[in-house]
Each structure stands twice: as structure tokens, then as C-alpha cells.
């Protein structure tokens, strides 16, 4: 059965060596296989032509490589954004999106099957959490899309320049797996993506932020803020009832003090909820003194949710007000408008069709 197979993608070179030693293989095999998996992005053991045939057969029978495949690919005809529906072990689906920027391609991947954070505006939260993704399944998303790009599946052979953990799930709710994923993704003998090219977004799990600070990874931490006072934030983000804004902002200040890495705050603009001039004022006051950047995201409406985005003039007005108040702020460019059901919607549709 597939779920009993050992996923070699989630193993460090040292663990791979120990695993292969058990099979009676010489020490150098681990380096060869790690190189095939994380450097050449092999999708099958058949490709590993410098391994002895019987070993390849044995690995094929007892092991897997991430267990993630691309089930569906939707490409935007407007800007080349690609949305991926990935299939994982056990018939689960998650989502990713490849966005094309002037400075390169960035791939957004999922960290969990579903999510238990229950944010009121988010499609990924509908249906709750099914399970955590393993490190191999997170790498599997990156490598499947990297292979897709390299094979010209998206017109121009191309590569992934950065990875963002902003798809389905709450990465800090799957802390250990996410850390292992990051360490394998950036391993110099493997894919070797610098963690400077990785962003991790959290809804504000304070304990997780503090644990992440101790890791001192050079990644960019994004905080989904979305409101400026506890009453409003708890209404749309239940996590705030456990970790209030004062605790969250203190954890952010400590994160910066420890890592020296500027935090990026995300603020999703929801019409009538958090987009008034008074909200802009309160937001500027909240961020005052933080070494940070603010990213405004006009809400993607989700059919099951009763929220709307402000009109373009409202969005512009909110941004201008913040600029006048001295906040470093950008507006997230909308990509893939013709394909981008808000994150989590593709998976919902796939599940409905099961
Ligand atoms: N759980 C993490 C990462 C996943 S969501 C987090 O909360 O940060 C990635 C970002 O998309 C978050 O800022 C999230 O609040 C935002 N988001 C979720 N649903 C959205 C929607 N319908 N429109 C716009 N942004 C949304």
C-alpha cells in the first residue's frame, strides 16, 4: 500500500544513509540518491541510472518520492500565472500557484490539507483541517512544479526563483514538518534554494513565531493582520481570541530583535469591515515603531463567504492615507484574475467531484 512506503524525499542525507545501510548499500549511495531527488528532481527510481537495477526495483517497491502529482493546471491568459491542483497520498488535494514577477517566478504552496484556523473570509478554512502535509509532500509540490516549468509545460522553460508558504493551511500549525521542509529545500547538495527567497505567512500563532525566531532562518515572515483592534480581529480571525494583538505585536518586535529580519504584514481589505479612514489611522498607529512592510490585499471574494472587496477608489484611498502617515505600503498586484478562484476553491471543487 502506498501509505506504508517510505518517502525518501523527506529524509536528510544522513537519514538516507542510515536507511540505505539497513539495505546493505555502501555509504556513497546516499549522496547519489539525494542528488537525484533534490538536484536532478527525479520523479521515479527508473531514472537513477547509476544505481544497480535490483536496488532501483527494491526502492520502487518500498519507497516513494513525495507522493505528489499535478492533477490539474490552469494557466492565466492575462499574465501567465499558473494554478496547480496537486494530488497527494490518500486522495487528498492541495493547491499551489506560480506567479510571474519581473524579478522571477514565485511558487506559492500549501502546508496542510485544509486548515483549522477558521478565518471568516477564507476558502481554505471551510471544512476544517484534514491533516498536516509531510516535508516530502511540501517538497513534492515545489519539485512537481519545477519539473513542469523545466519541461516547458507552461510555454517557456523556466525555473522557480522563490517559494512562499501562503497556500492552504497554517504553516506554524505544522511547525516541525515545515522546518524540515525548509532545511531540505535549502540544502546545498539539493535544490539549494536560499531561505532568503522564501516567505512564510502566519495568521499569528505567537508560540510558533517565537519558536521560529530561535531557528533564525533568513526567510521573510509575513503576518496576516487584517484588523487593528481585538474586537474586530477576533470577529474575522478566531486565532485572535487565543493570541491577542498585543501579544502578537510583542512577538513580532521580538522576532525582529532576534533575527534582524523585517516583518511583512498582510492586510486583506474587506468592504465595511476594516477599510475605513479610521482603520487606516489605527493601522498606522499599530505599526508605528515596527521595522516592517505592509502589503494590502483586496479581498478575493469566496462564494461561500459573505464578504466583498472595496471598490478600486476605496483601495487607493486606503493606501494613500497610509502613505501619508509614513507607512511603507504596497498593494498586491492581482494575478491570474481569469483563473484564480481564491486559494482553496480549486480543492473544494475537486473534493465536491470525488
Ligand atoms: N495560514 C497562513 C497562510 C495561508 S493564507 C496565514 O493566515 O497567513 C495566505 C494569505 O491569504 C493570508 O494573509 C490570508 O489571510 C489571505 N487570504 C485568505 N483568504 C483570502 C481571501 N479570500 N482574499 C484575500 N486574501 C485572503
Amino acid at each position: 500500500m502506498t501509505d506504508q512506503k517510505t518517502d525518501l524525499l523527506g529524509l536528510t542525507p544522513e537519514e538516507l544513509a542510515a536507511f540505505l545501510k539497513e539495505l546493505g548499500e555502501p555509504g556513497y549511495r546516499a549522496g547519489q540518491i539525494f542528488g537525484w531527488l533534490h538536484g536532478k528532481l527525479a520523479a521515479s527510481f527508473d531514472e537513477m541510472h547509476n544505481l544497480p537495477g535490483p536496488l532501483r526495483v527494491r526502492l520502487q517497491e518500498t519507497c516513494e518520492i513525495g507522493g505528489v502529482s499535478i492533477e490539474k493546471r490552469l494557466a492565466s491568459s492575462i499574465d501567465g500565472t499558473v494554478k496547480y491542483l496537486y494530488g497527494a497520498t490518500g486522495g487528498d488535494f492541495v493547491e499551489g500557484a506560480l506567479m510571474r514577477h519581473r524579478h522571477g517566478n514565485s511558487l506559492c504552496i500549501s502546508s496542510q490539507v485544509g486548515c483549522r484556523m477558521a478565518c471568516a473570509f477564507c476558502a481554505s478554512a471551510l471544512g476544517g483541517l484534514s491533516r498536516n502535509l509531510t516535508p516530502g509532500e511540501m517538497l513534492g509540490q515545489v519539485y512537481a512544479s519545477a519539473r513542469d516549468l523545466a519541461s516547458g509545460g507552461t510555454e517557456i522553460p523556466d525555473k522557480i526563483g522563490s517559494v512562499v508558504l501562503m497556500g492552504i493551511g497554517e504553516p506554524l500549525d505544522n511547525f516541525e514538518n515545515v522546518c524540515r521542509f525548509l532545511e531540505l529545500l535549502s540544502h546545498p547538495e539539493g535544490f539549494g534554494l536560499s531561505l532568503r527567497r522564501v516567505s512564510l505567512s502566519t495568521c499569528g500563532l505567537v508560540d510558533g513565531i517565537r519558536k521560529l525566531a530561535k531557528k533564525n532562518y533568513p526567510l521573510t515572515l509575513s503576518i496576516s493582520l487584517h484588523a487593528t483592534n481585538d474586537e474586530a480581529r477576533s470577529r474575522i480571525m478566531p486565532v485572535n481570541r487565543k493570541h491577542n494583538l498585543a501579544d502578537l505585536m510583542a512577538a513580532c518586535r521580538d522576532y525582529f530583535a532576534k533575527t534582524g529580519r523585517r516583518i511583512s504584514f498582510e492586510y486583506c481589505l474587506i468592504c465595511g469591515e476594516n477599510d475605513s479612514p479610521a482603520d487606516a489611522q489605527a493601522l498606522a498607529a499599530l505599526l508605528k515603531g515596527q521595522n516592517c512592510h505592509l502589503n494590502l490585499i483586496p479581498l478575493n471574494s469566496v462564494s461561500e463567504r459573505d464578504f466583498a472587496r472595496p471598490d478600486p477608489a476605496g483601495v487607493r484611498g486606503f493606501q494613500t492615507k497610509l502613505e501619508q502617515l509614513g507607512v511603507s505600503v504596497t498593494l498586491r498586484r492581482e494575478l491570474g484574475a481569469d483563473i484564480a478562484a481564491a486559494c482553496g476553491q480549486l480543492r473544494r471543487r475537486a473534493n465536491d467531484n470525488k
Side-chain angles (χ1 to χ4, degrees), residues 198-212:
V198 172
S199 295
L200 182 155
S201 180
T202 177
C203 64
L205 293 182
V206 165
D207 309 341
I209 295 170
R210 294 194 177 281
K211 274 199 284 179
L212 190 67

Side-chain angles (χ1 to χ4, degrees), residues 37-70:
L37 295 174
H38 300 270
K40 301 194 189 89
L41 308 188
S44 80
F45 295 103
D46 290 345
E47 295 170 43
M48 305 183 181
H49 55 71
N50 56 354
L51 302 186
L55 176 62
R56 273 187 269 162
V57 171
R58 182 150 189 197
L59 294 177
Q60 194 68 50
E61 283 167 5
T62 57
C63 301
E64 63 180 358
I65 303 175
V68 167
S69 55
I70 295 172

Side-chain angles (χ1 to χ4, degrees), residues 149-198:
L149 277 181
S151 70
T154 54
E155 288 167 22
I156 318 154
D158 216 345
K159 58 181 200 169
I160 292 168
S162 59
V163 168
V164 299
L165 279 161
M166 284 195 189
I168 296 170
E170 166 50 48
L172 297 184
D173 189 36
N174 185 13
F175 191 84
E176 297 304 329
N177 285 350
V178 164
C179 290
R180 178 178 277 255
F181 158 72
L182 294 171
E183 285 164 27
L184 286 167
L185 183 72
S186 57
H187 199 291
E189 285 151 40
F191 195 70
L193 187 77
S194 162
L195 294 182
R196 291 181 192 283
R197 296 175 163 276
V198 172

Side-chain angles (χ1 to χ4, degrees), residues 121-122 165-167 169-171 201-203 224 226 266 268 297-300 302 342:
F121 47 84
C122 178
L165 279 161
M166 284 195 189
E170 166 50 48
S201 180
T202 177
C203 64
S224 298
H226 306 338
E266 312 281 316
C268 174
I297 319 167
L299 179 87
N300 273 311
V302 174

